[in-house]
Amino acid sequence: MSTAILTGQPVPGSPIEADLRALGFEVRHAADAAGAGTLLAAVPGGERVAVVDARFVGHVHALRLGLTDPRFPLAAIPGAVTAQPAARPALARALARQETSGGTTLVGSLTDRIVTALDADGAAVHRPELGSLVARVPADPQAANEARQAVAAVDDEAVRLKSAVKARDGFFTTFCISPYSRYIARWCARRGLTPNQVTTASLLTALIAAACAATGTRGGFVAAGVLLIASFVLDCTDGQLARYSLQYSTLGAWLDATFDRAKEYAYYAGLALGAARGGDDVWALALGAMVLQTCRHVVDFAFNEAHVTGTDAPANASPTAALSGRLDSVGWTVWVRRMIVLPIGERWALIAVLTAVTTPRITFWVLLIGCAFAAAYTTAGRVLRSLNSKARRTDRAARALADLADSGPVAEGLARVTRRLPGGLAPVVALAGGAAVVATAAATGFGTPWPVLAAAVYALTSAAAVARPLKGALDWLVPPFFRAAEYLTVLLLAARADVNGALPAAFGLVAAVAYHHYDTVYRIRGGAGAPPAWLVRAIGGHEGRTLLVTVLAAVLTAPRFTAALTVLAVAVALLVLFESIRYWVSAHRAGSPAVHDEGETA
């Protein structure tokens, strides 16, 4: 239960007390700052507390935005301020300074004076963007009447529904899903459903879609396409429900992010199984699609960590950035640019339609071509921006890139005895080492020792690439180069084995490792840093796993290599899932700051 302290003389006919109770607050009254301080001290330490001016006039959703968002320890709107348990001491100190002194009463709204004191103390007070919503503390009857008229002129519920939709999204999501999914979100909210429940329903729907695709029948493919779109509708709904009802949580953000990846890659597996039932082996294409999509995400994550985590240079004024800004001023180009990068909405719609009307092989080939073009387009733009940027990477950004690199004990040990490369060469060396092991795996026959030698060279180049902090202009390319090298080596060696089950086993191994890499990203975004060192060492790091797989391919027969890949996939999956679930559940129970990711559309 949360507590709201109404300060000042009650206003006859004011709905403020009823509005606060509707938002889940227990309402108490205080005549002045001293009374408010006494009430604040009496509230149990684990509860949220709000201080609200009794004269407040405004929309209920303005109060909801200002007083109930779990992501911010301190928040305020005109006439109201709130503190979560961790920020209660700061609120108490600010309130104590507002009591009368020497018989002179401080003037002005008590809540506004509290916020001013919090700002003076350096506290981070969140002020939500209210837009057309009203939140005022009128000083006289005329101002109160004008405020009430302003409230009546704006439809509170319409604003709330509109704000439930993500501000920046793809064309398909914006125009084909969100116009009605927001009403599904409201329906869920009114029946007490949580975003996590909707997220789980989306996952189950996608898994059923994958099972339908695995039947290999035309009816199954049609049903799979329809269910995949239904899963995406629910995927949009869970975020809209979170924004509509302000039900943000650490666990919910993790579930939403990881389930998106699980749904898509499980669907790839379903399509491959369905094709196999019809006599067509497309496991290599399915694994290729997963590798390409995962590497695209790593490019996104690494670039953002390098450029958003913090720099001390002015905004990028490069010709590339200037051109992008000019294109953004032309409305239709914004939507074209969002569509050609194949964000999740466009991509899933493409997969669903192709599944229903074509074959799995055609679906994968179109997906690979589209995603390859999108990857080339986005990566080229980011490279140009980085080359023209004058920003200097912070230690925090370099640490994030090092965590994303996922270097294991082999690379760490070699890095200690390797000479540091001159600045700017890290991505070149990482690319050269990765290209060497991938090319060798592709060019040599199964069972030869050459991939082992190439993997040893890859370990050396990987160590050299991370021997110094990743602060160069293009050092954000190092993690995606590592991902591509590891994943493609596994794919090629499994394809070279040329036995039933090798590629599905490789698919499972890459899926388990990719989950580990996604989990690393979400921990970094949540401010927790990389997974524990014991986990990274236990699963070998990218260079250790690459070396191990090449050794297994060299010393084992193809059937035994398939069995070894399966065992390795299961072992990695069990370790990373155990640690990931343990961490996120414990973080949720410990009351870690709630988060909600608005940035990722892919």
Side-chain angles (χ1 to χ4, degrees):
M1 189 69 176
S2 302
T3 299
I5 301 171
L6 274 179
T7 62
Q9 294 298 319
V11 177
S14 172
I16 182 61
E17 189 168 341
D19 291 343
L20 289 169
R21 287 201 173 96
L23 294 176
F25 286 92
E26 179 183 347
V27 180
R28 300 180 182 179
H29 295 269
D32 52 24
T38 302
L39 289 175
L40 175 61
V43 175
E47 291 186 9
R48 174 195 285 270
V49 175
V51 180
V52 183
D53 196 303
R55 297 170 295 170
F56 178 88
V57 177
H59 288 99
V60 176
H61 192 51
L63 285 171
R64 182 182 291 106
L65 291 172
L67 302 183
T68 68
D69 196 324
R71 296 173 295 175
F72 307 103
L74 286 166
I77 58 174
V81 59
T82 185
Q84 293 194 52
R88 286 269 301 274
L91 177 62
R93 289 192 297 269
L95 181 57
R97 300 215 301 267
Q98 310 311 312
E99 299 182 15
T100 58
S101 175
T104 301
T105 303
L106 297 174
V107 297
S109 170
L110 172 61
T111 54
D112 291 344
R113 298 202 309 269
I114 292 172
V115 174
T116 300
L118 288 169
D119 289 336
D121 290 342
V125 181
H126 171 68
R127 293 172 172 84
E129 186 67 43
L130 298 180
S132 59
L133 297 175
V134 176
R136 302 178 191 173
V137 179
D140 53 60
Q142 180 179 350
N145 185 55
E146 292 173 352
R148 286 191 289 269
Q149 291 177 355
V151 170
V154 176
D155 187 338
D156 179 276
E157 180 61 19
V159 173
R160 187 181 178 190
L161 268 176
K162 183 178 180 180
S163 63
V165 177
K166 189 185 295 186
R168 178 183 174 87
D169 225 328
F171 180 89
F172 178 76
T173 305
T174 300
F175 294 104
C176 300
I177 303 297
S178 292
Y180 59 87
S181 62
R182 69 184 75 181
Y183 295 101
I184 301 176
R186 181 172 66 180
W187 182 90
C188 293
R190 291 177 175 177
R191 281 150 185 82
L193 297 176
T194 67
N196 290 354
Q197 291 171 331
V198 178
T199 300
T200 303
S202 176
L203 173 66
L204 293 175
T205 304
L207 293 179
I208 296 172
C212 290
T215 63
T217 64
R218 178 51 53 194
F221 288 148
V222 172
V226 172
L227 287 171
L228 187 63
I229 293 297
S231 175
F232 182 65
V233 172
L234 292 174
D235 183 53
C236 295
T237 300
D238 64 4
Q240 291 165 357
L241 175 58
R243 287 182 287 270
Y244 182 83
S245 56
L246 299 185
Q247 295 183 74
Y248 303 123
S249 70
T250 301
L251 182 63
W254 171 68
L255 289 176
D256 184 48
T258 55
F259 281 9
D260 277 352
R261 308 286 79 84
K263 288 181 287 190
E264 184 166 2
Y265 300 155
Y267 192 84
Y268 291 175
L271 276 178
L273 288 169
R277 286 180 177 272
D280 190 11
D281 186 355
V282 297
W283 275 106
L285 296 178
L287 181 50
M290 182 168 67
V291 169
L292 178 55
Q293 190 56 38
T294 304
C295 289
R296 281 189 63 197
H297 283 138
V298 175
V299 168
D300 294 341
F301 298 147
F303 178 83
N304 289 335
E305 289 302 325
H307 293 80
V308 179
T309 300
T311 58
D312 55 4
N316 189 354
S318 68
T320 307
L323 176 61
S324 178
R326 287 196 297 271
L327 288 174
D328 283 343
S329 66
V330 183
W332 64 270
T333 66
V334 174
W335 295 114
V336 170
R337 292 165 68 202
R338 291 186 191 178
M339 291 174 66
I340 62 176
V341 300
L342 278 185
I344 188 169
E346 276 74 1
R347 192 169 67 252
W348 283 27
L350 177 68
I351 294 171
V353 171
L354 290 174
T355 299
V357 301
T358 65
T359 65
R361 179 172 292 275
I362 292 175
T363 300
F364 280 124
W365 272 116
V366 173
L367 181 63
L368 283 166
I369 293 170
C371 286
F373 174 81
Y377 171 78
T378 55
T379 304
R382 286 167 177 168
V383 167
L384 291 174
R385 284 174 178 264
S386 297
L387 291 174
N388 287 285
S389 174
K390 297 179 181 179
R392 290 179 294 177
R393 306 289 176 261
T394 64
D395 291 338
R396 181 184 172 190
R399 179 69 260 170
L401 291 179
D403 291 338
L404 288 174
D406 190 34
S407 298
V410 175
E412 288 179 350
L414 291 173
R416 296 190 186 99
V417 297
T418 301
R419 290 189 61 183
R420 293 189 173 187
L421 297 171
L425 286 183
V428 175
V429 172
L431 176 61
V437 69
V438 170
T440 304
T444 58
F446 181 81
T448 66
W450 297 112
V452 179
L453 179 60
V457 173
Y458 172 65
L460 285 170
T461 57
S462 299
V466 298
R468 64 182 300 163
L470 297 174
K471 293 186 175 182
L474 296 178
D475 283 359
W476 56 269
L477 286 169
V478 170
F481 284 158
F482 288 165
R483 296 298 81 77
E486 178 184 1
Y487 298 164
L488 288 174
T489 299
V490 174
L491 188 161
L492 291 168
L493 290 175
R496 284 291 185 180
D498 197 26
V499 294
N500 289 334
L503 282 167
F507 188 97
L509 176 58
V510 171
V513 174
Y515 177 87
H516 165 63
H517 291 143
Y518 282 118
D519 187 57
T520 301
V521 168
Y522 302 136
R523 292 192 193 215
I524 293 172
R525 285 185 169 182
W534 72 261
L535 177 65
V536 178
R537 294 191 181 102
I539 60 176
H542 68 95
E543 81 292 343
R545 290 186 297 270
T546 303
L547 189 57
L548 175 60
V549 171
T550 57
V551 169
L552 292 174
V555 302
L556 298 177
T557 63
R560 290 183 176 179
F561 174 69
T562 299
L565 282 185
T566 303
V567 170
L568 183 59
V570 171
V572 171
L574 289 176
L575 281 172
V576 299
L577 283 173
F578 169 79
E579 166 54 26
S580 177
I581 294 171
R582 182 209 62 78
Y583 166 76
W584 288 102
V585 171
S586 62
H588 179 71
R589 289 176 177 171
S592 297
V595 295
H596 188 69
D597 183 14
E598 294 284 357
E600 184 184 342
T601 59

